[in-house]
């Protein structure tokens, strides 16, 4: 009799979610290959850490240039593997190149020694690299997620080994090849097609000095606890159920535009997508009607076709999981205002969906819906909106719409998240920190903070300090 499998079957396989056809399968990295790769990364670190910022910047800026020159090629790979609409994929590749270029330009300034002012003698803090950093990354932004770790950590003098998601091996391999093409020394950036068991052993390996994971809360808990057991620094960028608050003095047309984009961009598969729409009662009915009409107008189609307005979910299993969540929400009293079902056509397409009447007893109240499903809440006033926004296990981002910017800033300060946006949803820029609190994780990526994550902050004290008499 076959034993039940305790861990999910691990496979690296490209399947086009538009039609369910398998594009390519991959053989996993063996333990012997893994050891060779770690040894190569360690050897690379010995010299990379000694390079000047200018020398590192040449390679990282080259990688940015190549990405820009091959936007279409990278974008097409992402669209075919995980179903992102082609224009969104192109935007993601451009942005990934921008992140690499940003760190090539600014890393030296961010990591420059900081003079301290002790009462006696002199001192400064200097930043030095730590060694091999292990990244575990998700499929929903198959290039941006990699650039977000590669730009800062390589410029800091670390080297990277990355386990990318099982469904985007072609993106993972394309990004590894990019570094070879950019002139990187062997071992600077290594893609690993490894199992969860092997990933644990990578975290345990004494040559690995830090772990950066972006993904679900479950993955975060597993890898963060392993890192903690090994007393290794880690950063966790996990899920979210961001509140989109609309106050009675909001510009409704503006709020609707962002609401549609913020829920449906990347077919709703974004950590910081607006997932809970919290609208003050004066605007609630009008908002809901306009939102429903806009979502209902989206047209499913081939994500490679620029005219398509609704792409597939990343996989059949992602669709099945989301449908289960919707069914469970409905069986606990939620009302379906729009959608709720799979779309009757090949591929993993889900109807844009709006659920209302979600009470705190409904499992949907605390879950993340990773796809085109919006939860709608009607509240009495600003205080009730903030209380509801904060009644979440997550704390990634949040949005508030009001014509009174000072009021928007007050609300932003009271919502417990890592990021807040007033009258916009411009989530991510190379120069702004990104990350959350509570179950959404810890640490920040991007901006100045992103490069400080895996560096040794060393105190150096000098000058004339008298020795104590014995
Ligand atoms: P996931 O299932 O947690 O996968 C993320 C990565 O972790 C994949 O490479 C996955 O490998 C790996 N993984 C999962 N469990 C693991 C374990 N026990 N040991 C080692 N590796 C493990 O998440 P996902 O479904 O791909 O991504 C969606 C989630 O990521 C959502 O919750 C989303 O909100 C979150 N996310 C957060 C951010 C942020 O910046 N905060 C950004 C993007 C996404 P396999 O693919 O091989 O299973």
């Amino acid at each position: 009799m076959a034993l039940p499998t305790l861990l999910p079957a691990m496979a690296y396989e490209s399947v086009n979610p538009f039609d369910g056809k398998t594009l390519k399968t991959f053989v996993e990295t063996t333990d012997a290959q893994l050891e060779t790769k770690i040894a190569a990364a360690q050897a690379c670190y010995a010299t990379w850490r000694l390079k000047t910022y200018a020398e590192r910047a040449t390679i990282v800026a080259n990688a940015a240039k190549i990405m820009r020159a091959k936007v279409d090629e990278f974008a097409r790979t992402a669209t075919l593997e995980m179903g992102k609409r082609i224009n969104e994929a192109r935007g993601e590749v451009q942005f990934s190149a921008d992140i690499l270029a940003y760190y090539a330009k600014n890393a030296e300034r961010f990591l420059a020694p900081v003079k301290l002012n002790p009462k006696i003698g002199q001192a400064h803090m200097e930043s030095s690299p730590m060694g091999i950093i292990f990244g575990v990354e998700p499929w929903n932004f198959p290039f941006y997620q990699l650039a977000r770790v590669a730009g800062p950590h390589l410029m800091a003098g670390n080297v990277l080994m990355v386990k990318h998601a099982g469904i985007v091996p072609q993106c993972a391999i394309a990004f590894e090849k990019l570094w070879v093409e950019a002139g990187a020394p062997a071992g600077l950036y290594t893609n690993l097609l490894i199992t969860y068991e092997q990933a644990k052993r990578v975290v345990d390996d004494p040559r690995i000095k830090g772990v950066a994971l972006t993904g679900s809360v479950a993955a975060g808990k597993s890898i963060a606890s392993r890192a903690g057991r090994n007393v290794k620094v880690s950063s966790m960028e996990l899920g979210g159920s961001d509140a989109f608050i609309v106050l009675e003095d909001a510009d409704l047309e503006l709020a609707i535009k962002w609401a549609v984009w913020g829920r449906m961009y990347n077919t709703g598969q974004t950590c910081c997508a607006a997932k809970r729409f919290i609208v003050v009662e004066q605007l609630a009915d009008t908002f809901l009607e306009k939102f429903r009409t806009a979502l209902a107008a989206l047209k499913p189609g081939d994500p490679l076709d620029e005219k398509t307005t609704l792409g597939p979910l990343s996989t059949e299993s992602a669709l099945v999981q989301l449908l289960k969540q919707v069914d469970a929400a409905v069986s606990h009293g939620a009302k379906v205002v729009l959608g709720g079902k799979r779309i009757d056509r090949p591929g993993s397409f889900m109807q844009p969906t709006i659920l209302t009447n979600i009470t705190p007893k409904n499992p949907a109240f605390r879950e993340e819906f990773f796809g085109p499903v919006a939860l709608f809440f009607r509240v009495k006033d600003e205080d009730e909106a903030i209380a509801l926004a904060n009644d979440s296990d997550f704390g990634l981002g949040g949005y508030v719409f009001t014509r009174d910017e000072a009021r928007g800033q007050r609300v932003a300060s009271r919502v417990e998240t890592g990021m807040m946006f007033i009258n916009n949803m411009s989530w991510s820029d190379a120069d702004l920190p990104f990350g959350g609190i509570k179950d959404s994780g810890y640490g920040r990526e991007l901006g100045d903070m992103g490069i400080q994550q895996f560096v040794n902050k060393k105190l150096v004290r000098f000058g004339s300090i008298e020795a104590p008499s014995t």
Side-chain angles (χ1 to χ4, degrees), residues 234-262:
S234 62
S235 69
M236 295 289 141
E237 300 281 354
L238 309 179
S241 186
D242 290 2
F244 184 102
I245 298 173
V246 183
L247 299 176
E248 70 284 354
D249 61 351
D251 175 340
L252 191 61
E253 295 307 318
L254 180 77
I256 291 288
K257 268 191 200 153
W258 280 113
V260 174
W261 184 86

Side-chain angles (χ1 to χ4, degrees), residues 238 389-395 416-417 436-442:
L238 309 179
N390 286 341
D391 191 2
S392 170
D393 301 331
F394 293 107
E416 293 155 355
T417 57
I437 58 168
K438 303 199 268 182
D439 277 359
S440 296
Y442 52 82

Side-chain angles (χ1 to χ4, degrees), residues 139-157:
W139 47 266
N140 62 336
F141 291 93
F143 293 114
Y144 157 78
Q145 288 296 154
L146 302 182
R148 226 165 71 160
V149 288
H153 307 324
L154 297 182
M155 277 309 299

Side-chain angles (χ1 to χ4, degrees), residues 445-458:
E445 290 186 339
L446 297 177
D448 184 348
M449 286 179 85
I451 201 171
Q452 311 292 347
Q453 204 70 50
F454 297 105
V455 289
N456 175 19
K457 294 285 175 192
K458 187 190 291 173

Side-chain angles (χ1 to χ4, degrees), residues 119-140:
K119 272 199 234 133
I120 304 166
Q122 298 174 54
H124 70 241
M125 294 293 294
E126 60 185 39
S127 298
S128 43
M130 298 173 66
I132 309 175
I133 306 304
F134 177 43
V136 180
E137 299 299 333
W139 47 266
N140 62 336

Side-chain angles (χ1 to χ4, degrees), residues 137 139 148 163 166 196 214-216 219 237-239 271 368 434:
E137 299 299 333
W139 47 266
R148 226 165 71 160
K163 182 225 170 297
Y196 290 3
T214 296
S216 59
E237 300 281 354
L238 309 179
C271 52
E368 177 182 31
F434 189 101

Side-chain angles (χ1 to χ4, degrees), residues 22 39 48 74 80 83 87 96 132 188 196-197 228 241 273 279 294 314 354 364 379-380 398 446:
T22 300
W48 184 252
F74 280 104
L80 287 173
N87 280 342
S96 306
I132 309 175
L188 183 67
Y196 290 3
E197 269 314 301
S241 186
V279 185
S314 62
I354 304 176
V379 290
K380 195 166 82 252
L446 297 177

